[in-house]
């Protein structure tokens, strides 16, 4: 397992399984794997859409992103971004998502209704984007830039770089306080 996301109702975990090219759906109460969903090479990130109807799996090797229906566990969407996509975050309504591409220092803006890339944002030189989080009010996107040792803060609608915050060596994950 690489990463996981919680279902909207809190009853299931969606888990990426890098070595077997699959995602697992685990019933938290029973601890049992209920479904296996085949995806591409090296699944990494997993994110649940805000409405809970889909979960997304990002695959490092080829830049594949799979969209899985949470009722049927069928793959309902598949698109590509540049290689080494890591995580995904959504605007509060869920109509737009953001996926970083580590190897190319980019942040992909995703149309979640049509499962496609709308725009590719180039991050500051030296960035190796790993994790992306959305501010609770949906106004800012935070991107950890790995080896660059920074966090990029972008406007979630204009995509303008608002700040570059110097932090420790190789920031990977990000968590935002509830407030």
């Amino acid at each position: 397992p690489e990463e996981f996301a919680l279902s909207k109702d809190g009853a299931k975990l969606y888990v990426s399984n890098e070595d077997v090219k699959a995602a697992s759906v685990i019933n938290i109460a029973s601890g049992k794997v209920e479904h296996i969903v085949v995806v591409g090479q090296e699944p990494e990130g997993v994110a649940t859409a805000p409405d809970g109807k889909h979960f997304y799996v990002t695959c490092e090797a080829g830049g594949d992103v799979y969209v899985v229906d949470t009722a049927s566990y069928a793959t309902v969407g598949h698109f590509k971004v540049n290689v080494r996509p890591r995580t995904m975050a959504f605007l509060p309504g869920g109509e737009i998502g953001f996926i970083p591409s580590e190897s190319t220092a980019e942040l992909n803006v995703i149309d979640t209704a049509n499962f496609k890339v709308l725009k590719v944002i180039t991050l500051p030189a030296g960035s190796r984007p790993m994790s992306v989080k959305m501010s609770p009010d949906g106004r800012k996107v935070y991107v950890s830039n790995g080896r660059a040792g920074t966090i990029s803060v972008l406007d979630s609608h204009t995509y303008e770089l608002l700040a570059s915050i110097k932090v420790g060596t190789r920031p990977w994950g990000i968590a935002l306080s509830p407030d």
Side-chain angles (χ1 to χ4, degrees):
E2 278 286 322
E3 293 193 22
F4 66 90
L6 189 62
S7 63
K8 186 171 178 164
D9 65 5
K12 300 193 185 327
L13 281 178
Y14 308 127
V15 182
S16 62
N17 300 295
E18 183 174 41
D19 293 338
V20 294
K21 302 178 187 176
S24 301
V25 178
I26 300 171
N27 180 307
I28 293 172
S30 71
K32 304 267 187 222
V33 174
E34 291 185 340
H35 300 280
I36 301 286
V37 181
V38 176
V39 294
Q41 274 192 315
E42 295 184 50
E44 171 81 15
V46 182
T48 305
D51 66 5
K53 293 180 180 177
H54 300 107
F55 70 89
Y56 289 70
V57 180
T58 63
C59 298
E60 290 182 83
D64 292 289
V65 180
Y66 292 85
V67 185
V68 180
D69 180 89
T70 58
S72 67
Y73 300 107
T75 299
V76 295
H78 174 234
F79 59 94
K80 285 188 172 277
V81 297
N82 282 326
V83 294
R84 299 194 83 74
R86 295 291 187 173
T87 57
M88 186 166 185
F90 301 89
L91 281 174
E95 68 279 2
I96 298 292
F98 297 89
I99 299 173
S101 288
E102 178 192 1
S103 295
T104 56
E106 296 169 337
L107 184 63
N108 302 279
V109 181
I110 308 302
D111 171 349
T112 61
N114 297 300
F115 311 130
K116 68 178 187 175
V117 177
L118 289 176
K119 181 171 181 63
V120 177
I121 301 164
T122 301
L123 294 170
S127 295
R128 300 280 296 196
M130 301 301 216
S131 185
V132 60
K133 295 291 182 191
M134 181 65 56
S135 64
D137 65 5
R139 293 183 180 169
K140 295 178 183 170
V141 179
Y142 298 90
V143 183
S144 65
N145 290 318
R147 292 185 183 130
T150 61
I151 303 294
S152 291
V153 183
L154 296 103
D155 182 292
S156 65
H157 294 87
T158 67
Y159 315 130
E160 173 189 0
L161 180 66
L162 302 174
S164 186
I165 304 166
K166 187 73 178 154
V167 294
T169 306
R170 284 189 84 182
W172 193 289
I174 298 176
L176 299 176
S177 64
D179 63 356

